[in-house]
Amino acid sequence: MNAAIGSAGVALGLLASVFGVITLAVGIRSHKPLLLRRAGTYAALILVAGLIAAAAMERALITRDFTVRLVFENGSSLTPPLFNFASLWSALEGSIILWAVILGGYIALVAWKFRRRLDDPLVAWALLTMFVVAAFFFALMVGPADPFVSVNPPVGYDGPGPNKLLQNHPLMAFHPPMLYLGYVGFTVPFAFAIAALVTGRVGEGWLVETRRWTLFAWGFLTLGIALGAWWAYEVLGWGGYWGWDPVENASLLPWLTGTAYLHSVMVQERRGMLRVWNLALLCATFSLTILGTFLTRSGVVESVHAFSESSIGAWLLAFFGAIVVVTVGLIGWRGDRLRSPGSIDSPVSREGAFLANNILFGAFAFVVLLGTVFPLVVEALNDDQISVGSPFFERMTVPLGLALLTMMAIAPVLPWRKASMETLGQRLQWPAWFGAAALVGSVAIGERGLGTVAGYGLAGFAAGAAIRQVALATRRQGWRGLVGRTNGGMIVHLGVILIAVGIIASHANVVSREQRLEPGESFTVAGHELALVSVERTDTARTIRTTAAVRVDGGQIYEPQVNTYRVDGMTIPTPSVRTTWSHDIALTVSLGDWPDGPVQIRAVVQPLMSWLWTGALLMGLGTVLAAFPGRRRRPTDPVSGAIGVAEPEPERDPDAEPERAEVRT
Amino acid sequence: MSPRRRQLALSWAAVAVVVVAALAVGTFAADDPTPAERVRSLSSQFACPKCVGQSVQESDAGIAVEIRAEIVRRVQVGQGDGEILGFLESKYPGNLLTPSASGTASLVWALPVAGAVLALAGLAYAFVRWRPRDDVEVDAADRDLVDDALRSRRTGGATSDPGNRGARS
């Protein structure tokens, strides 16, 4: 029953996408607006089809319908409701359903937003592109990743439940959907980029149309990554939040190129430059989301995230290849129209800074991509097994991170076109003192190491520049000084800076120790006394739970646990983590020989972890603020005075120089 | 030099002195790493042989706990970092997380350097190519065009752009 409904949903989705593609293609070719206006119907059908498939699968999961293979393999009568609901995306096929639903949602939103312009070729091509992507994902569900395969369970069968690691923390219910909202969201600007290339309207129009879509996709991706890091921190119990795991890297890659795009797009809107570069960045971002899915779903890399081997890998790789070939081909074809009308006058200018930003983000993405796929490539070519782990990534990315912090300090105060050293010296004076104060303060409280103290100093410098911008804007415009792209962007910067400080501080000062303890014994970590009070075993239907009660500093009791799942004997620790604004204590227990011997307690103490999560929240808030309409400026407005041939102009328009005006305040 | 410029220059000189001094103290007054710090750093440089994608530092598998204990023992008897990692690599080959600087693996270090050189060269080329051209003559007709655009903006465009105007009043 559930399988039949779900399969019907999948079939409907595939049909709607394919017919959508055909209808739009015919409509565009024969210039029939009537056909183009049908797009809305197909978009709605795709969303409905996705919802039917998802609802059928959820119904199967909730009613424990073990005749559906996904439930047979990932359901269990013992799984708590929240994790049972989240089982949808704990399995390969289910995660494709989630992808399809979200894609359907985005397509329907685009069709609705542009409902009066469906016969515009740009919109038609964009929707056609999205229909192709939807057709691909529904085809996956018909072919290699069919979620609704029927099985015949034995009488009285109960399934094993989802991966035990994934039913350990409620964040599991939020991290994947948030990440997917980000991943899939990049389909929209990508589709418009393709449409712009095909129609030849490669000017700035499509950028402006998709500005907010990109921003929200980026915001969701940011929050999704942050939630993933938080999940890792709370669940894995080694005090870390980022392991440079291939799949974590796969989510970081589109974020890096997407961030680069968000910045360089401003150069194009303002100056009409970097057109090819922006298209390439956007297509790279979208294709990297597919590559990321390939890495996660095909089993080529082994990690906690990767699902079991499946033939879906070949499909995803082929799709990735097709995207790259099509976009490179289109960009080559439109090369003549993509020449930029403007030019960069001076490297010391806003556009010069954005270019440097892009180089840094590009280098960051390159290093992460290289470190992730290098072992795969070497193994495929050479049959050698090599590991590329955190030492490589840290050595490569720390200098890039510091350079990015430096750019974050300098870039926001730079005017467009050209800055004099004096302007720069003036505007950066107070941020520089702010940074110097952070540097001196960090040295004074005992931080050591060139990278570490320089990091604090640069974070202070960047924070100073961001605060200066926000302060100037709010003084001039009141609350409006907090909204709009520039001002919201500064709030995002402040969030990034909080995260940077959290990373530097926790990295430089983490203390971890492990100790075998009998109840009544204690040990000391980073000035905290940990006394093991008791170890107790509770039997539940699902697990055998062993809880260690540890008294910290004679006060609070922490209760790290170990759950041994009855169904497969898998042992999953549940750390006990307490967060304060200044530092965190995380305790993990492992059983060792218990109850015949002592248990082992592992304690990790690190400062400023809360800054990471606060920073991520601030980034989300800044994204929302940036999406609000700020002060409007027509992209074609003259924004600076005559250059080069500066002839004295008797009545120059003061409005023509907004950036200079800012200096006077 | 105007007093204001002199003041600015002085301020920047002071910042420079403070920053250099603080960086010097922060860099050279560092203590040697404590044994606990060495253990943590060493155990994050070695992959857990039985796990997937986790270092010895991250894993709670039995073998990872064992290797951590081994590292603690060896740090306590005063072995150097290279010696300890060498021992682990000989016992569990292929688990060093730092790619080696020779052979095929060294490419992973060399490629980013090559990429950086190429990027910088490309950037330099772009700036050279983008330099404002001297050979473009601006004639009266061009100036008229610009003047017209500015004039129409002042009359027609100003009303459509209230935010911009209000911002400065």
Side-chain angles (χ1 to χ4, degrees):
Chain A
M1 173 69 173
N2 290 318
I5 297 176
S7 297
V10 170
L12 174 67
L14 182 60
L15 285 177
S17 336
V18 170
F19 278 102
V21 172
I22 295 171
T23 312
L24 286 183
V26 172
I28 292 166
R29 226 190 127 67
S30 57
H31 304 285
K32 288 199 175 120
L34 210 63
L35 284 179
L36 297 183
R37 280 189 219 114
R38 286 263 156 267
T41 318
Y42 290 113
L45 276 177
I46 292 172
L47 175 59
V48 169
L51 286 175
I52 291 175
M57 187 52 81
E58 282 299 349
R59 183 159 178 265
L61 279 167
I62 291 166
T63 58
R64 270 72 174 184
D65 176 0
F66 293 117
T67 60
V68 178
R69 194 173 70 192
L70 189 138
V71 185
F72 184 82
E73 286 170 356
N74 300 286
S76 159
S77 59
L78 299 172
T79 314
L82 181 70
F83 299 116
N84 189 42
F85 183 81
S87 298
L88 179 67
W89 46 85
S90 314
L92 167 71
E93 292 84 3
S95 67
I96 305 286
I97 303 184
L98 181 65
W99 191 295
V101 174
I102 293 178
L103 183 57
Y106 274 115
I107 292 177
L109 267 177
V110 168
W112 185 76
K113 176 92 200 295
F114 293 95
R115 62 193 176 281
R116 290 186 220 296
R117 284 178 49 194
L118 289 177
D119 43 9
D120 179 343
L122 185 80
V123 177
W125 274 105
L127 278 167
L128 189 144
T129 311
M130 282 187 273
F131 287 159
V132 171
V133 178
F136 171 75
F137 278 96
F138 278 105
L140 280 184
M141 287 193 281
V142 172
D146 185 353
F148 295 103
V149 177
S150 291
V151 287
N152 254 330
V155 179
Y157 174 84
D158 195 4
N163 183 339
K164 306 304 173 290
L165 207 50
L166 304 182
Q167 40 175 316
N168 207 12
H169 197 284
L171 277 175
M172 208 42 226
F174 303 101
H175 153 60
M178 198 62 100
L179 203 60
Y180 277 36
L181 278 170
Y183 270 177
V184 183
F186 278 111
T187 314
V188 180
F190 167 75
F192 273 87
I194 294 289
L197 281 169
V198 173
T199 55
R201 282 154 63 181
V202 291
E204 282 58 64
W206 69 274
L207 285 182
V208 183
E209 312 275 20
T210 55
R211 185 173 97 72
R212 287 207 183 106
W213 299 89
T214 317
L215 201 56
F216 278 116
W218 181 86
F220 283 129
L221 189 57
T222 306
L223 289 181
I225 293 173
L227 285 177
W230 195 15
W231 175 84
Y233 177 65
E234 296 273 339
V235 166
L236 299 181
W238 45 277
Y241 37 85
W242 193 264
W244 299 104
D245 173 293
V247 180
E248 289 170 346
N249 295 348
S251 71
L252 186 63
L253 283 170
W255 187 88
L256 289 168
T257 52
T259 311
Y261 170 76
L262 281 184
H263 288 92
S264 66
V265 78
M266 290 186 252
V267 180
Q268 184 175 348
E269 278 184 28
R270 196 67 175 259
R271 304 282 319 273
M273 293 184 299
L274 306 182
R275 289 178 173 174
V276 177
W277 177 245
N278 281 325
L279 285 166
L281 271 181
L282 197 50
C283 296
T285 304
F286 179 70
S287 55
L288 282 171
T289 66
I290 302 293
L291 185 71
T293 317
F294 164 69
L295 289 175
T296 335
R297 304 293 179 246
S298 65
V300 291
V301 294
E302 295 173 355
S303 84
V304 284
H305 296 82
F307 298 127
S308 54
E309 300 242 358
S310 136
S311 62
I312 195 176
W315 286 59
L316 284 164
L317 205 56
F319 191 51
F320 171 75
I323 295 166
V324 172
V325 169
V326 167
T327 48
V328 170
L330 280 174
I331 291 176
W333 178 51
R334 286 297 187 195
D336 56 327
R337 294 208 193 188
L338 289 167
R339 291 236 178 82
S340 106
S343 70
I344 287 192
D345 304 309
S346 155
V348 191
S349 63
R350 185 75 70 87
E351 50 270 51
F354 280 136
L355 203 58
N357 147 308
N358 271 228
I359 301 277
L360 289 172
F361 272 110
F364 207 126
F366 176 70
V367 167
V368 174
L369 183 64
L370 180 70
T372 310
V373 301
F374 190 74
L376 301 176
V377 175
V378 169
E379 197 180 335
L381 295 182
N382 228 353
D383 220 21
D384 273 350
Q385 296 253 356
I386 64 161
S387 307
V388 177
S390 52
F392 169 80
F393 289 107
E394 277 166 21
R395 206 169 300 168
M396 287 290 175
T397 55
V398 166
L400 288 170
L402 293 180
L404 279 170
L405 279 176
T406 315
M407 291 310 302
M408 268 170 89
I410 300 174
V413 308
L414 281 172
W416 293 89
R417 305 220 93 145
K418 194 169 180 148
S420 70
M421 271 317 182
E422 198 186 344
T423 317
L424 209 56
Q426 198 103 48
R427 293 181 180 184
L428 282 176
Q429 191 184 5
W430 290 115
W433 276 110
F434 208 77
L439 172 64
V440 170
S442 72
V443 172
I445 61 169
E447 293 288 58
R448 291 295 179 265
L450 180 59
T452 307
V453 294
Y456 287 119
L458 289 172
F461 191 20
I467 292 170
R468 173 186 176 277
Q469 287 303 107
V470 173
L472 283 179
T474 45
R475 200 165 67 190
R476 225 168 31 219
Q477 301 167 268
W479 67 271
R480 278 204 159 270
L482 289 174
V483 301
R485 176 157 57 187
T486 315
N487 305 321
M490 287 303 118
I491 307 283
V492 175
H493 276 194
L494 286 173
V496 175
I497 291 160
L498 282 186
I499 292 178
V501 172
I503 291 175
I504 298 168
S506 61
H507 235 74
N509 298 293
V510 56
V511 179
S512 67
R513 222 185 130 183
E514 46 199 325
Q515 185 85 31
R516 290 172 172 279
L517 290 180
E518 296 276 7
E521 294 177 338
S522 63
F523 72 119
T524 313
V525 187
H528 294 281
E529 204 204 348
L530 312 178
L532 182 64
V533 181
S534 64
V535 183
E536 269 164 28
R537 183 181 140 145
T538 8
D539 289 13
T540 66
R542 195 160 66 116
T543 65
I544 300 164
R545 171 175 299 166
T546 312
T547 308
V550 181
R551 190 181 293 283
V552 177
D553 295 331
Q556 277 188 321
I557 299 271
Y558 285 51
E559 293 190 324
Q561 301 171 341
V562 176
N563 284 303
T564 306
Y565 284 80
R566 289 177 188 279
V567 59
D568 53 5
M570 208 171 156
T571 300
I572 304 287
T574 307
S576 170
V577 183
R578 302 274 168 95
T579 304
T580 66
W581 70 270
S582 63
H583 69 282
D584 279 28
I585 303 178
L587 301 184
T588 320
V589 59
S590 42
L591 292 183
D593 306 326
W594 194 82
D596 303 322
V599 292
Q600 173 143 322
I601 301 285
R602 188 172 189 199
V604 182
V605 181
Q606 45 191 345
L608 302 195
M609 286 301 293
S610 56
W611 287 39
L612 288 173
W613 323 130
T614 318
L617 210 61
L618 203 57
M619 285 177 81
L621 177 72
T623 308
V624 174
L625 291 175
F628 266 94
R631 27 179 210 147
R632 302 244 174 192
R633 185 189 283 129
R634 288 180 307 173
T636 49
D637 277 353
V639 287
S640 52
I643 47 152
V645 283
E647 193 180 283
E649 279 181 277
E651 38 160 20
R652 221 168 45 177
D653 184 357
D655 267 1
E657 290 187 4
E659 291 298 339
R660 294 260 184 83
E662 192 185 283
V663 197
R664 285 186 225 120
T665 55
Chain B
M1 205 187 242
S2 70
R4 201 167 156 195
R5 287 187 74 161
R6 194 174 308 131
Q7 199 187 358
L8 190 64
L10 277 176
S11 159
W12 275 100
V15 167
V17 170
V18 169
V19 165
V20 169
L23 281 180
V25 174
T27 311
F28 297 112
D31 307 323
D32 288 335
T34 64
E37 283 166 1
R38 282 186 59 206
V39 169
R40 196 174 166 92
S41 145
L42 285 169
S43 59
S44 66
Q45 293 178 44
F46 205 74
C48 159
K50 293 260 170 73
C51 324
V52 280
Q54 287 185 308
S55 69
V56 166
Q57 158 68 23
E58 294 156 18
S59 171
D60 271 313
I63 187 151
V65 176
E66 221 167 87
I67 294 177
R68 282 203 296 269
E70 181 69 40
I71 295 175
V72 171
R73 260 196 302 282
R74 285 172 183 265
V75 165
Q76 273 166 356
V77 300
Q79 290 193 352
D81 289 1
E83 205 178 338
I84 297 174
L85 288 175
F87 164 79
L88 290 176
E89 176 67 7
S90 66
K91 193 163 173 196
Y92 312 98
N95 285 299
L96 262 185
L97 284 173
T98 317
S100 104
S102 61
T104 330
S106 64
L107 268 183
V108 81
W109 297 108
L111 282 175
V113 176
V117 171
L118 277 180
L120 286 179
L123 201 61
Y125 171 73
F127 275 123
V128 169
R129 210 187 52 168
W130 266 329
R131 186 174 303 150
R133 287 160 49 185
D134 311 324
D135 56 339
V136 178
E137 288 291 332
V138 182
D139 58 22
D142 292 334
R143 299 237 167 89
D144 285 346
L145 266 177
V146 173
D147 284 346
D148 274 351
L150 284 175
R151 210 172 298 126
S152 73
R153 190 178 123 71
R154 257 200 302 278
T155 52
T159 45
S160 75
D161 199 6
N164 212 0
R165 197 159 276 273
R168 228 159 293 107
S169 53

